[in-house]
């Protein structure tokens, strides 16, 4: 018989990397939000789920169950094979720990697979995430990276994370760069996915004496940061990074790849065009249309982003600041490491 796991049991196994989590919900449910790191082996696809739901509402539970058995029977060999290819212990879940996960766990147990089932399903997991974010204390000793657009703050954090520094990469968790151009080349996560990834990140750095994060706005694309994380940002050690403008332009070119998303860049620019002095705005737009992206970026930095960032930075008042004058991202990383030591 398969084992029933609580959310707390699953959290312990995930932290130790001792289990593979399988979401047996439909592909659209999985795409909307899931437990981070889980695989999707759906019991029903979206059309099948809709068909069974219609039978349940318009005919009877018996009719829905009968049709469900027909669908599962036809795909059972492929379903079992997909699970058999996953090594080690596995946990299945559906929306609320109902028939889909119970059916999957029962069938797999019958063919001798070691299997567990998450009680309460994704709904219970989501409730647990919200409660954890509300209850979990944020590490007070935070180091916050500031810098003009193009300074490479996110890339700096990634390089520090690769060296095992305790990093919370909010832009990666939001899948958004936090500006009007921030979603170019990305899909953007919803609040459920962001919250799950943020909680995972906070758990990962929980035993660290400090954490590193970027000075993001409260809203990052589609998501909103928890208030306690904003307070930690405002009270933390502020690190202000400066890079030459030509390096910043090169960083933006490498990150955004505007040559691949020219139309998106033009559409995004139209949202801020009215905030820029008309002759400059017209030149920027023309550069974007002509593929002169370096020049367009330079003008945007000088006449829009730098001015806005300087104004925002005034809100930090007399907060202690550590200034880093760097020549490159590599140089900035080295100086931050020295500062942390």
């Amino acid at each position: 018989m398969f084992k029933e796991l609580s959310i707390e049991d699953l959290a312990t196994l995930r932290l130790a990397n001792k289990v593979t989590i399988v979401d047996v919900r439909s592909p659209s449910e999985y795409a909307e939000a899931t437990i981070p790191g889980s695989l999707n082996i759906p019991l029903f696809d979206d059309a099948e789920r809709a068909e069974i739901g219609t039978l349940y509402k318009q005919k009877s539970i018996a009719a829905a169950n009968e049709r469900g058995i027909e669908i599962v029977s036809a795909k059972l060999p492929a379903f079992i094979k997909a699970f058999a290819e996953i090594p080690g212990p596995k946990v299945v879940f559906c929306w609320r720990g109902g028939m889909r996960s119970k059916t999957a766990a029962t069938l797999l147990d019958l063919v001798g697979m070691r299997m567990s089932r998450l009680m309460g399903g994704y709904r219970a997991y989501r409730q647990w995430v919200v409660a954890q974010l509300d209850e979990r204390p944020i590490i007070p000793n935070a180091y916050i990276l500031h810098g003009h657009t193009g300074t490479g703050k996110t890339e700096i954090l990634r390089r520090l994370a690769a060296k095992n520094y305790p990093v919370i990469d909010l832009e990666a968790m939001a899948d958004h760069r936090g500006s009007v151009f921030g979603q170019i080349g990305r899909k953007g996560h919803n609040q459920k996915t962001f919250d799950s990834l943020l909680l995972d990140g906070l758990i990962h750095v929980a035993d660290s004496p400090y954490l590193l994060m970027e000075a993001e706005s409260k809203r990052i694309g589609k998501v909103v940061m928890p208030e306690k994380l904003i307070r930690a940002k405002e009270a933390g050690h502020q690190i202000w990074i400066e890079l030459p403008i030509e390096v910043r332009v090169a960083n933006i070119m490498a990150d955004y790849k505007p040559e691949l998303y020219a139309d998106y860049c033009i559409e995004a620019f139209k949202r801020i065009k009215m905030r820029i002095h008309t002759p400059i705005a017209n030149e920027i737009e023309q550069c974007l249309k002509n593929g002169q992206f370096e020049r367009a970026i330079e003008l945007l930095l000088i006449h829009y982003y730098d001015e806005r960032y300087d104004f925002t930075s005034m809100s930090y008042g007399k907060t202690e600041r550590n200034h880093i004058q760097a020549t490159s991202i590599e140089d900035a990383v080295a100086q931050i490491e020295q500062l942390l030591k």
Side-chain angles (χ1 to χ4, degrees), residues 117-231:
R117 173 175 172 256
L118 177 64
M119 294 186 293
Y122 179 77
R123 183 171 66 172
Y125 169 77
R126 173 61 182 164
Q127 292 170 346
W128 178 78
V129 168
V130 172
Q132 284 287 304
L133 287 177
D134 184 55
E135 298 166 6
R136 179 173 290 273
I138 301 296
I139 297 173
N141 197 22
Y143 287 84
I144 315 301
L145 302 193
H146 297 259
H148 287 121
T149 302
T151 305
K153 299 179 289 294
T154 297
E155 179 60 25
I156 290 169
L157 287 176
R158 287 173 184 161
R159 297 192 187 193
L160 289 168
K163 296 184 176 187
N164 295 319
Y165 285 90
V167 166
I168 296 294
D169 188 348
L170 295 168
E171 289 192 1
M173 294 169 180
D175 195 29
H176 196 285
R177 301 183 189 87
S179 72
V180 70
F181 297 92
Q183 200 166 328
I184 291 175
R186 302 187 181 187
K187 293 182 179 180
H189 289 153
N190 58 24
Q191 192 69 44
K192 291 179 181 179
T193 299
F194 174 78
D195 289 347
S196 297
L197 294 171
L198 175 59
L199 177 59
D200 276 3
L202 291 173
I203 291 172
H204 183 70
V205 303
D207 295 330
S208 303
Y210 63 89
L211 63 79
L212 289 145
M213 57 182 275
E214 185 174 343
E216 297 286 355
S217 301
K218 181 175 182 178
R219 179 171 289 278
I220 312 170
K222 303 174 186 177
V223 308
V224 177
M225 278 200 294
E227 191 64 36
K228 64 172 65 176
L229 197 58
I230 295 172
R231 293 197 298 269

Side-chain angles (χ1 to χ4, degrees), residues 6-269:
S6 68
I7 293 293
E8 291 73 20
D9 293 334
L10 181 63
T12 300
L13 291 171
R14 287 185 69 221
L15 192 61
N17 293 317
K18 290 184 176 180
V19 69
T20 299
I21 308 169
V22 182
D23 187 340
V24 296
R25 297 177 303 158
S26 67
S28 64
E29 291 174 285
Y30 176 79
E32 199 271 334
T34 191
I35 299 174
S38 63
L39 306 177
N40 185 214
I41 305 178
L43 198 63
F44 304 119
D45 63 27
D46 293 323
E48 292 163 348
R49 175 172 172 257
E51 179 188 356
I52 292 169
T54 300
L55 286 171
Y56 183 91
K57 293 177 182 177
Q58 297 183 0
K59 285 196 173 184
S60 66
I61 297 175
N65 288 340
E66 183 178 344
R67 180 58 181 143
I69 292 170
E70 289 177 0
I71 292 171
V72 172
S73 297
K75 62 173 67 176
L76 190 55
F79 187 76
I80 292 174
K81 182 182 178 182
F83 274 88
E85 292 174 350
I86 303 171
K90 295 168 274 290
V91 177
V92 295
F93 72 93
C94 59
W95 163 236
R96 57 175 181 238
M99 286 304 298
R100 284 183 288 180
S101 61
K102 186 176 182 179
T103 299
T106 301
L107 290 171
L108 295 165
D109 182 70
L110 288 173
V111 296
M113 285 193 204
R114 185 180 175 187
M115 188 63 51
S116 300
R117 173 175 172 256
L118 177 64
M119 294 186 293
Y122 179 77
R123 183 171 66 172
Y125 169 77
R126 173 61 182 164
Q127 292 170 346
W128 178 78
V129 168
V130 172
Q132 284 287 304
L133 287 177
D134 184 55
E135 298 166 6
R136 179 173 290 273
I138 301 296
I139 297 173
N141 197 22
Y143 287 84
I144 315 301
L145 302 193
H146 297 259
H148 287 121
T149 302
T151 305
K153 299 179 289 294
T154 297
E155 179 60 25
I156 290 169
L157 287 176
R158 287 173 184 161
R159 297 192 187 193
L160 289 168
K163 296 184 176 187
N164 295 319
Y165 285 90
V167 166
I168 296 294
D169 188 348
L170 295 168
E171 289 192 1
M173 294 169 180
D175 195 29
H176 196 285
R177 301 183 189 87
S179 72
V180 70
F181 297 92
Q183 200 166 328
I184 291 175
R186 302 187 181 187
K187 293 182 179 180
H189 289 153
N190 58 24
Q191 192 69 44
K192 291 179 181 179
T193 299
F194 174 78
D195 289 347
S196 297
L197 294 171
L198 175 59
L199 177 59
D200 276 3
L202 291 173
I203 291 172
H204 183 70
V205 303
D207 295 330
S208 303
Y210 63 89
L211 63 79
L212 289 145
M213 57 182 275
E214 185 174 343
E216 297 286 355
S217 301
K218 181 175 182 178
R219 179 171 289 278
I220 312 170
K222 303 174 186 177
V223 308
V224 177
M225 278 200 294
E227 191 64 36
K228 64 172 65 176
L229 197 58
I230 295 172
R231 293 197 298 269
K233 177 192 76 171
E234 293 171 347
H237 308 282
Q238 313 300 323
I239 301 176
W240 296 77
I241 305 166
E242 296 181 24
L243 285 178
I245 192 166
E246 63 272 14
V247 176
R248 292 162 56 205
V249 171
N251 289 341
I252 293 171
M253 286 292 296
D255 183 18
Y256 285 77
K257 296 179 174 57
E259 68 278 5
L260 302 179
Y261 304 100
D263 291 341
Y264 293 99
C265 291
I266 293 169
E267 286 304 310
F269 173 69

